[in-house]
Amino acid sequence: MAGKASAAEPPQSASSAPAGGSEAAKPRARGGHNKSHAEISGAGYAGLTAAVALAQRGWSVRLHEKRHTLGSFGAGIVMWENALRVLRAIGAFEEAAKKSFTPPFYETRMHNETVALEPFDRDPWATMTRQHLYDAMLAQARPLDIEILHDSEVVSAQPDGAVTLGSGRTIKADLVVGADGVGSNVRDSVGFAVERNKARDGLIRMIVPRCRGELGPEAFWDNVIDFWNFEPRVQRILYVPANDDDLYIGFMAPYGSDGSIVPIKLEVWLDMFPFLEPVLREAVHAPGRYDRYETTVLDAWTKGRVALVGDAAHAMTPSLAQGAACAMMNALSLAVYMEGGADNVEKRLQEWERNERPLTDRTQQRSAKLTAERALSKGEWVNDELMETMRHIPTGASADPLPGFPRRMATVP
Ligand code: 5PR
């Protein structure tokens, strides 16, 4: 396992630092002379996981984030066992678990009638805010041999391992990781064929206060509740307690409909979900964005020394809560395939894709089908096929049980 690198050497990174950033300005310690070096574009969940997992395996890593601040723009997240296992593998599990929650049930309602009530007492899972998850992962990156640059955009990459920054500077690496999201510069500059599929629906996601006092004393307000309505129009609210204080709430509606408008229109949601009035009133003032569901499938995930991971490679709909999870699994496994350093990077990247990609492909297909058919509304997604990904032991992660999980055995009311 890696500690902090001690040998201070190539000041090249200091000169690449964008002005003004405290991290960027920090003089750089880059360990050993013969360390293999990775340039990673994008400090989201995929990029952070790859950075930590590579550094743990002795690589020196530079992580570029084009935004000014490091952080998560998302609202909340449901983490299943595979994602929690990746967190443990990169050392972030305990910290992430601290401010997380496991609801007693995952409930599905149609027109406010319960159609499914899942205790998930054999599947460890947790909810949390995305910011909390991000902070837990970033804390793992800090002490490792990872140079984190903000305001630093990778504008293009080449299969030989060259990356060009927004500043115009070009750097050579043994490995380039494009973890730069659905609009990936790395992907589009290297030239991969992208097949995009947009669904008819999308959703607005935000964090609002739990409003427990106002919602009422019923125990079910601790559940995840997926409130579906098909009449008089298709609108759905995904209600996810993320911890004692924060509610992660998703407003799903067809693209272009009134339900897709941000800030949300109170009357559009209140007439179908009057029992959620306190949180709807909060949601009117919360920042949010409507995102149409989208799946992207590439002809390949790697070319030469370049590997794509996360939404850059395999954006998926969130029906199975596997977007970030697959991003993190693939980033971890990528580092496992890079164990031992820079020899044969190209061949090992191909092996990585060949072995690791099929599960993600299946997950994307299943998730897209659930989304297209609005099938989560039936609450019938808990079966061995659809749970395959959540129950998968990620390459590079331990199969040991997660400490403290399952968190509680729910009692049927
Ligand atoms: N499940 C989860 C989720 O966060 C979303 C959906 C389903 C856990 C939204 O991101 O279908 O939209 C969904």
Side-chain angles (χ1 to χ4, degrees), residues 90-404:
I90 62 168
F93 170 77
E94 268 179 48
E95 187 56 32
K98 272 183 198 161
K99 207 176 171 208
S100 71
F101 185 60
T102 298
F105 292 96
Y106 199 118
E107 183 174 357
T108 305
R109 297 191 195 183
M110 173 58 81
H111 299 130
N112 210 22
E113 296 275 331
T114 301
V115 297
L117 194 62
E118 294 289 347
F120 285 121
D121 40 21
R122 67 165 268 214
D123 289 287
W125 65 300
T127 65
M128 62 193 77
T129 68
R130 285 193 174 241
Q131 190 60 50
H132 175 68
L133 171 62
Y134 192 88
D135 290 344
M137 293 172 71
L138 187 60
Q140 279 311 116
R142 294 288 188 204
L144 295 174
D145 185 15
I146 303 170
E147 178 184 16
I148 307 177
L149 303 179
H150 55 83
D151 299 295
S152 182
E153 180 171 21
V154 173
V155 292
S156 66
Q158 286 175 27
D160 68 356
V163 299
T164 302
L165 306 179
S167 63
R169 182 163 164 247
T170 293
I171 315 168
K172 255 329 244 308
D174 300 301
L175 169 70
V176 176
V177 180
D180 46 352
V182 73
S184 171
N185 284 347
V186 172
R187 178 193 64 209
D188 294 342
S189 61
V190 170
F192 292 87
V194 187
E195 183 192 309
R196 287 171 181 274
N197 185 340
K198 286 189 194 257
R200 60 185 158 164
D201 297 326
L203 84 173
I204 303 156
R205 288 170 277 198
M206 48 182 71
I207 298 287
V208 295
R210 294 266 319 255
C211 301
R212 277 198 290 195
E214 298 96 306
L215 284 173
E218 295 89 343
F220 59 68
W221 291 124
D222 275 350
N223 295 352
V224 167
I225 312 178
D226 197 357
F227 290 99
W228 284 82
N229 272 35
F230 283 171
E231 303 293 339
R233 52 188 187 271
V234 174
Q235 277 175 222
R236 161 192 176 208
I237 289 182
L238 179 64
Y239 169 103
V240 182
N243 56 50
D244 284 345
D245 306 315
D246 299 310
L247 178 69
Y248 159 38
I249 188 165
F251 297 88
M252 193 203 90
Y255 179 71
S257 70
D258 285 349
S260 71
I261 296 169
V262 191
I264 67 156
K265 286 179 172 273
L266 188 59
E267 65 281 7
V268 167
W269 293 95
L270 199 53
D271 71 341
M272 267 192 239
F273 303 95
F275 43 85
L276 288 174
E277 178 165 354
V279 293
L280 295 179
R281 289 196 179 278
E282 295 284 348
V284 169
H285 306 290
R289 182 182 77 185
Y290 179 86
D291 292 301
R292 194 166 170 188
Y293 294 128
E294 182 174 348
T295 306
T296 59
V297 178
L298 272 54
D299 58 341
W301 287 2
T302 106
K303 201 171 274 184
R305 294 179 178 274
V306 176
L308 303 173
V309 68
D311 284 350
H314 47 77
M316 69 180 76
T317 74
S319 294
L320 289 169
Q322 286 301 315
C326 284
M328 291 164 59
M329 286 202 299
N330 292 327
L332 174 62
S333 63
L334 174 64
V336 171
Y337 279 76
M338 292 299 110
E339 239 153 33
D343 296 337
N344 295 317
V345 164
E346 303 191 18
K347 196 168 136 268
R348 287 190 282 145
L349 287 179
Q350 286 164 12
E351 280 168 27
W352 165 70
E353 177 174 352
R354 190 161 57 242
N355 294 335
E356 299 292 329
R357 179 169 170 167
L359 177 65
T360 296
D361 286 342
R362 290 197 291 281
T363 311
Q364 285 183 292
Q365 287 158 13
R366 291 166 184 161
S367 199
K369 186 167 187 286
L370 286 167
T371 300
E373 296 174 356
R374 296 172 174 154
L376 290 182
S377 62
K378 295 190 216 121
E380 288 169 358
W381 51 279
V382 186
N383 57 55
D384 288 344
E385 188 196 341
L386 293 181
M387 302 287 289
E388 181 195 6
T389 322
M390 288 98 137
R391 292 176 180 162
H392 177 74
I393 309 287
T395 302
S398 163
D400 292 346
L402 290 159

Side-chain angles (χ1 to χ4, degrees), residues 45-93:
Y45 303 122
L48 266 182
T49 303
V52 171
L54 283 165
Q56 287 173 334
R57 287 163 181 77
W59 284 66
S60 82
V61 176
R62 193 182 287 121
L63 180 57
H64 301 268
E65 171 52 53
K66 70 177 177 187
R67 297 192 323 235
H68 184 61
T69 43
L70 296 171
S72 167
F73 274 173
I77 191 163
V78 173
M79 305 281 285
W80 290 95
E81 189 170 21
N82 61 331
L84 296 172
R85 286 187 191 283
V86 176
L87 285 182
R88 178 170 60 182
I90 62 168
F93 170 77

